[in-house]
């Protein structure tokens, strides 16, 4: 299951590695979930029920998670509003954008956002950047 301060939900290996490297340079502990089924189980069962350590920040590829996953994330956000969420997707449809807006309080990065925008958002939203190093 999830380990770290930041939960990164991303299935594209290169993008995931770039994001993880950037976040690690900023002294975040990062746990990556790269499978949509695993992410859905973690969001709907693990984190929501307290079975897993809750992250300080969730960063999620909305397209990978899909509408069902975004619904689970919306429910998690309602029950744990103290956990900020960053949603991004390089490709969206009106339906996906509507599903993204249902995640209350989520910071949504649009398709023109880059890694620096993500870094800035993570630094702003995460309550701490302390690691065990």
């Amino acid at each position: 299951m999830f380990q770290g301060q930041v939960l990164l939900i991303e299935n594209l290996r290169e993008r995931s590695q770039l994001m993880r490297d950037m976040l690690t340079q900023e002294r975040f502990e990062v746990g990556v979930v790269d499978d949509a089924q695993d992410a859905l189980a973690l969001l709907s069962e693990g984190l929501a029920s307290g079975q897993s350590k809750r992250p300080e920040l969730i960063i999620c590829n909305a397209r990978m998670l899909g509408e069902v996953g975004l619904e689970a994330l919306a429910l998690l956000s309602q029950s744990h509003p103290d956990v900020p969420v960053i949603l991004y997707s390089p490709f969206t449809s009106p339906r996906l954008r509507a599903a993204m807006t249902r995640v209350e309080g989520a910071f949504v990065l649009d398709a023109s956002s880059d890694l620096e925008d993500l870094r800035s958002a993570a630094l702003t939203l995460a309550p701490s950047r302390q690691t065990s190093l």
Side-chain angles (χ1 to χ4, degrees):
M1 280 290 193
F2 164 73
Q3 294 293 319
Q5 287 173 299
V6 176
L7 171 58
L8 175 60
I9 300 172
E10 173 58 68
N11 62 334
L12 297 177
R13 188 166 288 166
E14 269 186 45
R15 185 182 305 150
S16 175
Q17 191 61 53
L18 281 171
M19 291 176 167
R20 186 179 184 141
D21 289 349
M22 180 270 304
L23 292 164
T24 301
Q25 285 179 340
E26 293 297 338
R27 300 185 47 82
F28 287 109
E29 293 176 6
V30 182
V32 178
V33 176
D34 61 4
D35 179 81
Q37 295 279 7
D38 291 344
L40 181 58
L42 182 61
L43 293 172
S44 61
E45 298 164 14
L47 294 177
S49 68
Q51 293 175 357
S52 297
K53 174 184 161 192
R54 199 169 317 126
E56 291 185 24
L57 174 65
I58 298 172
I59 301 173
C60 179
N61 178 339
R63 186 175 180 94
M64 173 204 156
L65 201 53
E67 288 185 49
V68 173
L70 287 171
E71 286 177 29
L73 187 56
L75 291 172
L76 181 69
S77 290
Q78 287 174 355
S79 61
H80 300 290
D82 57 318
V83 179
V85 175
I86 298 173
L87 292 174
Y88 65 91
S89 182
F91 305 103
T92 60
S93 64
R95 191 172 176 161
L96 181 61
R97 283 191 296 277
M100 291 168 74
T101 63
R102 288 192 290 272
V103 180
E104 194 171 312
F107 185 86
V108 178
L109 293 173
D110 64 22
S112 67
S113 300
D114 61 14
L115 200 56
E116 181 57 30
D117 295 324
L118 177 65
R119 185 187 74 76
S120 295
L123 292 173
T124 300
L125 295 173
S128 77
R129 289 188 288 153
Q130 301 303 312
T131 67
S132 57
L133 297 176

